[in-house]
Amino acid sequence: MKNCSIIVSILNWNTAAMTATCVASVLAMRQGPDVDLQVVVIDNGSAETDWMTLKQLVTDPAVKLIRQPDNLGFAGGHNVAIRMALEQDAGFIWLVNSDSLLEQETLMQLLDLMRSDPACGSVSPVVTALHNENAIDFCGAQHDWPALDSVRAGSVAQARAMEAANGKEMWLAGTVVMFRMQALRAVGLLNEKLFAYFEDDDIGVRLIKAGWSNRMAFESRARHAQPNVKERPAHYFYLMNRNALLFYLAHTPVQFRRLIHYRLLDRAVFTANRLRRKGKNDLAHACLLGAMDGLRGHGGRPDLARQPALWLRVLCKVLLLKQYRLILKVEP
């Protein structure tokens, strides 16, 4: 292989046309003379019709298509490519969302930062909205351990200030993040127990604990389609609530763990009660299932065809008495 070998990993899940557009933007980027770029598209259990469309749209010999019969989630899907990078002794793995578009200089800007800082384990461009380059989607974040929360910078200026004040605590969203393979050899792959959501928080914290830094390339840009937050499916609420418990129970420093189980459970129940008040009982049900599995330490693919434990359903009604005024206050 050449001096700088990079594998780009793109997951496809029933978005063949969008994935093909993303691949085209990757192939159009400027590459240095010492760069060996391999693009891998992993079909994550899409419908057969979408897989066939993907094969018709992505025909460049520089792109490797891999069909997975089942949806392995964000973590499991990208781990297919990460294992390839380990086997091939690649220098970097770049995870790119299929609904992202990259600018011509993005690749070389990320590599320049990686080369200038050997302690940098992961790097991300500033991510803007797909149809509005002035709207920031992601430009850096840190965990607020006392609040069991994450603080995302709202502007590049704020992100620069966060990094300057405490750069060792920065973590990066998984939208278009590049990892140094040396760092992943030290900390391991993405956490497949999480399936999707919080796997970027998790790998970021593991890198920090191992002495690596997570940095933003503030001059670099990528664009990302914005999800319709009014139409989140049930599995989203399940995974967000379950994985919040799994993540914070695993990584919160000891000095901030007082009543941690109760605080995380109270938050999940609050979300469930808000959804139930809006008549979205299926989403509330998913929240409670997620909280139950998170407390039990269960991970993997979502299974929503169950009932939350009786004690949790009772607790939900009991806590509603305490939460009702706050729910009314935050309702739009």
Side-chain angles (χ1 to χ4, degrees):
M1 280 195 171
K2 296 182 182 179
N3 183 46
C4 184
S5 56
I6 306 161
I7 291 181
V8 178
S9 176
I10 302 171
L11 298 185
N12 178 71
W13 187 56
N14 296 311
T15 56
M18 184 181 294
T19 300
T21 302
C22 175
V23 169
S25 78
V26 170
L27 296 176
M29 287 186 301
R30 184 174 69 86
Q31 301 177 27
D34 64 339
V35 171
D36 179 12
L37 188 70
Q38 179 182 357
V39 181
V40 179
V41 177
I42 298 151
D43 184 78
N44 221 1
S46 297
E48 184 67 23
T49 53
D50 191 80
W51 167 240
M52 297 301 295
T53 301
L54 182 68
K55 289 196 295 182
Q56 293 170 359
L57 294 175
V58 180
T59 58
D60 194 299
V63 181
K64 183 179 181 66
L65 297 179
I66 299 176
R67 169 76 158 163
Q68 294 293 328
D70 299 311
N71 187 344
L72 304 177
F74 182 95
H78 279 306
N79 276 347
V80 172
I82 294 174
R83 291 187 182 96
M84 289 178 56
L86 289 169
E87 293 171 0
Q88 297 179 21
D89 199 25
F92 303 93
I93 181 86
W94 192 7
L95 314 185
V96 176
N97 272 22
S98 63
D99 55 357
S100 300
L101 294 178
L102 306 175
E103 298 189 354
Q104 189 175 22
E105 297 297 321
T106 306
L107 171 63
M108 297 311 298
Q109 289 167 332
L110 298 188
L111 283 179
D112 286 345
L113 191 151
M114 281 288 200
R115 287 165 166 166
S116 70
D117 182 3
C120 180
S122 71
V123 62
S124 170
V126 173
V127 185
T128 63
L130 183 61
H131 300 296
N132 182 2
E133 62 182 14
N134 295 317
I136 298 294
D137 185 66
F138 183 82
C139 61
Q142 294 180 346
H143 289 108
D144 182 349
W145 297 115
L148 301 178
D149 203 356
S150 180
V151 179
R152 294 194 176 207
S155 68
V156 170
Q158 184 184 359
R160 287 184 184 274
M162 289 170 64
E163 185 177 79
N166 195 7
K168 292 182 178 180
E169 290 299 318
M170 298 291 286
W171 70 273
L172 307 176
T175 312
V176 281
V177 61
M178 177 184 288
F179 293 99
R180 190 187 301 273
M181 288 306 302
Q182 182 184 353
L184 293 188
R185 289 186 185 94
V187 304
L189 281 64
L190 298 177
N191 186 351
E192 296 188 18
K193 187 175 183 178
L194 298 173
F195 192 78
Y197 305 113
F198 280 92
E199 68 291 307
D200 41 10
D201 298 70
D202 177 80
I203 193 71
V205 171
R206 286 192 280 136
L207 287 167
I208 291 168
K209 289 179 178 179
W212 298 92
S213 63
N214 307 297
R215 294 189 58 185
M216 292 296 305
F218 289 114
E219 304 307 319
S220 182
R221 293 291 185 274
R223 289 178 288 155
H224 180 228
Q226 305 300 292
N228 187 341
V229 296
K230 293 183 178 181
E231 298 180 3
R232 296 285 196 183
H235 70 257
Y236 169 85
F237 291 92
Y238 170 86
L239 288 167
M240 287 297 290
N241 283 278
R242 184 195 71 183
N243 292 354
L245 272 95
L246 293 176
F247 171 77
Y248 285 108
L249 290 176
H251 293 297
T252 302
V254 63
Q255 63 268 34
F256 305 122
R257 297 183 68 87
R258 184 172 181 270
L259 300 177
I260 186 171
H261 291 82
Y262 171 77
R263 293 167 62 197
L264 291 168
L265 182 57
D266 181 70
R267 184 180 300 175
V269 169
F270 178 81
T271 303
N273 278 331
R274 280 189 67 189
L275 290 167
R276 200 175 300 282
R277 184 176 180 275
K278 295 179 179 180
K280 300 179 179 181
N281 293 332
D282 58 329
L283 304 185
H285 175 94
C287 286
L288 295 183
L289 278 176
M292 181 179 74
D293 286 349
L295 287 173
R296 293 174 174 176
H298 296 171
R301 187 195 305 271
D303 175 12
L304 304 183
R306 298 169 293 146
Q307 284 294 322
L310 177 60
W311 68 266
L312 186 52
R313 284 178 278 157
V314 172
L315 180 65
C316 196
K317 294 180 179 180
V318 171
L319 288 180
L320 178 61
L321 299 174
K322 176 179 79 74
Q323 297 172 345
Y324 191 70
R325 288 186 178 180
L326 182 57
I327 291 173
L328 292 179
K329 185 182 295 185
V330 300
E331 287 296 323

